[in-house]
Amino acid sequence: MASQGGPVAIRMRNDLGDLSRFLDEVEAFCRTQGLPDEVARGLAVALDELITNTVTHGYPDGRQHDIELHLEVADSRLQAELVDDAEAFNPLDHPVPDTTLPAEKRPIGGLGIHLVRNLMDDVSYERRDGRNHTRLSRRL
Amino acid sequence: MDIEQSAVGPVTRIAPIGRVDSYSARDFESRLMAVIGGGAAVVVDLERLDYISSAGLRVLLLATKQARAQNARLALAAMQKSVREVFDISGFSSIFEIHASADEAIAALSSR
């Protein structure tokens, strides 16, 4: 397995219509690094959840913005940093949902962030110079 | 995402292919709810689904609630490993009737 790859930058607009193309590029990077499919797809789901939150709630000005992702394989880790200029949002502040409730009582909110935290080994967040920096990492 | 649909006796099989992400989940929702609205027994065949996010889980949750409300039957089948992981983390594996293959699910829903 490759121990070193990237960094690469992948960008998308704050438009969920651009998400599929963006995730294609993320998965393509993972394939060129020889990463297992479930690692690539786990990362893609985590990014989908974070970006969907950002695009849906983070831009009350209604204008076009760019979201940037830096991807790297280093030190036997897949590392991703998502940078956006949306309103401050710390995914680590989110409460953990009760995943044991029956279907009828199950709220869907909060599940996305729960997925992010469980699909990745480490999640960290920083607000810096008016931008959200969300870092994800998974051991390889 | 593409969606394949077929009728097998009394059962409708609906197969999302590729990724159900937060964008394509909208298409998936309208197709799946239309099938359930028809009152059929429904098998959601996940064999060629590579990926599902919480938006897709939400659609399946809505669908199963709707099916129960109208006494229709809904089962999932043939989950890939990466999709199974998302179900397990979410606690969704216990909510649904899940079969190893579409054929097994169709047989189960046909015989009741």
Side-chain angles (χ1 to χ4, degrees):
Chain A
M1 182 184 300
S3 60
Q4 203 76 34
V8 297
I10 304 173
R11 290 175 190 81
M12 69 173 274
R13 285 172 285 116
N14 58 329
D15 172 358
L16 293 180
D18 202 19
L19 181 64
S20 186
R21 190 266 318 159
F22 175 87
L23 295 177
D24 284 344
E25 291 189 32
V26 170
E27 292 197 12
F29 170 83
C30 292
R31 268 196 304 278
T32 63
Q33 299 301 314
L35 304 182
D37 280 351
E38 59 262 35
V39 171
R41 289 167 186 171
L43 174 65
V45 172
L47 292 170
D48 178 338
E49 302 295 351
L50 290 168
I51 288 169
T52 299
N53 266 331
T54 301
V55 170
T56 309
H57 305 294
Y59 299 105
D61 67 6
R63 302 169 87 153
Q64 187 176 312
H65 295 257
D66 284 329
I67 298 168
E68 191 167 289
L69 172 71
H70 303 275
L71 271 182
E72 185 171 16
V73 174
D75 305 326
S76 299
R77 283 178 170 267
L78 171 61
Q79 306 190 91
E81 183 180 26
L82 207 51
V83 183
D84 63 68
D85 63 352
E87 300 210 326
F89 175 78
N90 181 353
L92 300 173
D93 284 345
H94 242 69
V96 175
D98 183 350
T99 57
T100 63
L101 292 171
E104 295 73 17
K105 294 182 179 158
R106 190 67 71 90
I108 207 73
L111 195 54
I113 299 302
H114 179 68
L115 281 170
V116 174
R117 296 178 69 162
N118 283 277
L119 288 167
M120 307 304 294
D121 291 311
D122 292 301
V123 180
S124 65
Y125 170 82
E126 192 183 355
R127 180 77 178 177
R128 197 168 72 225
D129 302 328
R131 289 170 194 272
N132 298 303
H133 294 253
T134 309
R135 276 186 290 274
L136 310 174
S137 152
R138 178 149 168 176
R139 284 187 295 274
L140 299 173
Chain B
M1 179 203 58
D2 294 318
I3 298 176
E4 232 176 58
Q5 189 176 332
S6 56
V8 188
V11 178
T12 300
R13 169 184 158 278
I14 183 164
I17 298 166
R19 275 199 297 258
V20 175
D21 59 34
S22 56
Y23 186 71
S24 57
R26 302 168 195 185
D27 283 344
F28 183 46
E29 177 173 352
S30 55
R31 289 288 294 276
L32 185 55
M33 295 311 263
V35 169
I36 290 167
V42 179
V43 169
V44 185
D45 179 356
L46 303 175
E47 186 171 11
R48 283 176 290 166
L49 183 72
D50 300 325
Y51 166 117
I52 194 164
S53 68
S54 66
L57 293 179
R58 177 187 154 275
V59 173
L60 290 172
L61 185 63
L62 285 175
T64 202
K65 284 180 179 174
Q66 182 62 32
R68 282 176 198 179
Q70 55 189 61
N71 278 325
R73 294 163 305 185
L74 181 137
L76 311 183
M79 251 180 227
Q80 292 188 32
K81 193 175 162 193
S82 49
V83 170
R84 183 83 202 202
E85 189 180 13
V86 168
F87 269 76
D88 287 345
I89 291 170
S90 310
F92 269 49
S93 305
S94 58
I95 292 178
F96 294 95
E97 178 179 339
I98 301 173
H99 293 273
S101 71
D103 286 349
E104 191 186 304
I106 289 164
L109 265 57
S110 301
S111 66
R112 269 184 236 157

